[in-house]
Amino acid sequence: SLIFLITYIINMTRKELEDLDKNIKANQTCIAHSFDAAHCSGEPITSHSIARSEQLKRIAENDKVCVWNNSISKCFHLMDESGGAQKTLFEPWTIQKASTFEGFCNYHDTQLFNLIDKPIASFNDEVILQLHYRAMSYEYFHKKTSIEFLEKILSSDDADKNLFYDMVEVTKERDVIALNDLKKEISVCEKAFSTKNANKDVKAIVFSFDVMAPVMCAGGWVPSHTIDKKTVLFQEDMKSLAPLIGMTLGIDANNKSFWALTYTDDTNIHVKKFLESLKKHLNKRFLDIAVLFCLQKSQNACCRPSWYTGLQKWQKNFIDRGFNEMNENLHEPVVGMNLLNLVYTVKQIV
């Protein structure tokens, strides 16, 4: 655990580290300020990356959903006070808090996502643009604040004398590279917003289902392998670390699930192969694939509490492995797992 290593680099308790993380996240600038500063209405609010009323409320129970713990442990497994490993599991949070990040001021949070914060009846160019911008902005926010957090740690007194200093430094350098890639994704979206023209630069494939899944997510992923894991597209290196595909698993105006995968570079071989591999599994429990993929790859997945409780009863070891079949550090297939016990049909609508 990186957090465990950090406690050796500087003399800070876990609570102090978490407080530092919260303070950094609370002192950010509206992401849209760079291209529309004139309309910024103040400091960022706690923006929902998954719409509260039109999305989260549909799977909530007593106004709560189960989410990953939204602290430093969201990125790294924390260590308990005795030094033993402590897994980060889903916890019930109110929909007021779930999926939020301090990304946008009130004006931009309202205006830039006006089409996806209400029931989505059709996936036109503007809707796809908003889905991608929100997914990439969520990833950008967490990558940026991660860098600031690590820089604070690395600049502490005598940190460079510690055995683990280089490891933390490499993590920060990788985050910087990823942040630059994310800036490119965001700039494509911001250009489309600025020109007031219909978006043509963000592409998508969208799948529609005739049932509603108890899971939602919004975020990004780097396509490092095909969906069935039969083809490894590339080994992670220092060149391609940022999410190249936006993933949104949500509910449309008909109260049915949709899975939207958005991207800007339709010439990227990794993106193309990943999307091609997806289409081959349309008739193989495709909504289960979407749900499991989001649980494995997204740190911003939310689910219905009773569904998660039931899953814990018969899939505890599976959950403890990070929703992987064998080992969370291995690339495990997401094809064939029955998580939902639902009968459904799927069609590609975009």
Side-chain angles (χ1 to χ4, degrees):
S1 169
L2 182 58
I3 292 302
F4 185 61
L5 298 181
I6 287 173
T7 60
Y8 281 96
I9 293 178
I10 61 173
N11 185 26
M12 292 179 69
T13 65
R14 188 171 72 186
K15 184 179 184 308
E16 288 172 333
L17 288 169
E18 291 177 334
D19 288 344
L20 173 62
D21 183 60
K22 290 177 182 177
N23 182 62
I24 288 172
K25 289 176 178 176
N27 287 278
Q28 297 298 308
T29 302
C30 173
I31 293 173
H33 186 273
S34 61
F35 81 99
D36 192 29
H39 290 108
C40 267
S41 58
E43 297 299 317
I45 62 172
T46 49
S47 307
H48 277 81
S49 56
I50 304 173
R52 181 179 62 181
S53 298
E54 298 301 337
Q55 296 287 317
L56 291 176
K57 197 171 181 64
R58 311 289 181 90
I59 62 170
E61 293 171 337
N62 297 318
D63 279 339
K64 291 184 178 181
V65 292
C66 284
V67 303
W68 287 113
N69 181 6
N70 192 21
S71 67
I72 299 174
S73 61
K74 188 165 189 174
C75 298
F76 308 105
H77 291 162
L78 284 172
M79 309 299 284
D80 62 24
E81 298 303 327
S82 64
Q86 176 180 318
K87 292 292 186 181
T88 304
L89 299 179
F90 277 77
E91 299 175 355
W93 280 15
T94 66
I95 58 175
Q96 180 78 23
K97 181 182 179 184
S99 88
T100 59
F101 68 111
E102 295 84 350
F104 295 93
C105 68
N106 185 63
Y107 173 85
H108 286 118
D109 187 56
T110 302
Q111 296 298 317
L112 295 179
F113 308 108
N114 61 323
L115 298 180
I116 61 174
D117 279 342
K118 62 183 180 182
I120 302 175
S122 64
F123 291 84
N124 57 32
D125 290 339
E126 287 76 17
V127 166
I128 290 170
L129 168 62
Q130 292 187 14
L131 288 173
H132 192 66
Y133 188 53
R134 177 169 273 174
M136 293 298 104
S137 295
Y138 177 86
E139 299 290 347
Y140 173 87
F141 172 84
H142 284 287
K143 199 62 67 178
K144 181 175 182 291
T145 54
S146 171
I147 292 169
E148 293 177 16
F149 174 80
L150 294 176
E151 285 177 340
K152 190 74 174 179
I153 299 301
L154 292 167
S155 65
S156 61
D157 292 341
D158 297 326
D160 58 341
K161 296 182 176 62
N162 191 277
L163 177 65
F164 301 108
Y165 180 90
D166 289 343
M167 185 181 299
V168 178
E169 176 69 25
V170 168
T171 300
K172 191 205 76 171
E173 290 175 357
R174 289 167 66 91
D175 280 352
V176 169
I177 293 172
L179 187 69
N180 290 332
D181 287 344
L182 282 166
K183 286 179 180 177
K184 296 175 185 177
E185 292 289 318
I186 287 177
S187 67
V188 171
C189 297
E190 292 176 344
K191 179 181 177 182
F193 283 123
S194 299
T195 57
K196 307 296 183 183
N197 293 326
N199 164 58
K200 298 297 181 184
D201 293 322
V202 179
K203 287 80 175 177
I205 60 172
V206 182
F207 302 98
S208 176
F209 305 89
D210 60 354
V211 297
M212 182 176 72
V215 179
M216 298 174 175
C217 85
W221 184 68
V222 180
S224 58
H225 45 70
T226 54
I227 193 72
D228 56 6
K229 303 299 194 300
K230 291 181 179 178
T231 305
V232 177
L233 302 180
F234 69 91
Q235 298 292 334
E236 281 198 10
D237 53 30
M238 294 291 283
K239 295 180 180 179
S240 183
L241 299 172
L244 298 176
I245 294 180
M247 295 194 304
T248 304
L249 179 63
I251 297 172
D252 61 22
N254 297 315
N255 287 332
K256 309 299 183 183
S257 287
F258 71 85
W259 193 24
L261 296 110
T262 55
Y263 53 98
T264 61
D265 188 357
D266 55 359
T267 64
N268 184 289
I269 188 63
H270 310 310
V271 171
K272 290 170 66 176
K273 285 189 175 182
F274 174 74
L275 297 179
E276 288 169 2
S277 74
L278 270 182
K279 297 175 184 178
K280 296 178 181 178
H281 292 85
L282 282 177
N283 297 319
K284 299 180 180 179
R285 302 205 61 82
F286 196 73
L287 184 54
D288 290 79
I289 290 174
V291 165
L292 181 52
F293 199 78
C294 289
L295 290 173
Q296 280 189 6
K297 307 303 179 186
S298 176
Q299 296 172 349
N300 194 32
C302 301
C303 57
R304 182 178 294 128
S306 61
W307 176 80
Y308 181 67
T309 299
L311 191 67
Q312 283 181 303
K313 292 179 180 179
W314 67 281
Q315 290 284 15
K316 182 180 184 300
N317 291 335
F318 181 61
I319 293 173
D320 288 345
R321 291 192 296 269
F323 298 99
N324 284 275
E325 292 181 13
M326 295 178 62
N327 185 306
E328 65 180 324
N329 295 316
L330 300 177
H331 291 309
E332 296 299 328
V334 296
V335 175
M337 179 66 66
N338 184 355
L339 294 179
L340 301 176
N341 290 320
L342 294 173
V343 176
Y344 51 83
T345 60
V346 56
K347 61 181 179 180
Q348 183 179 340
I349 57 176
V350 176

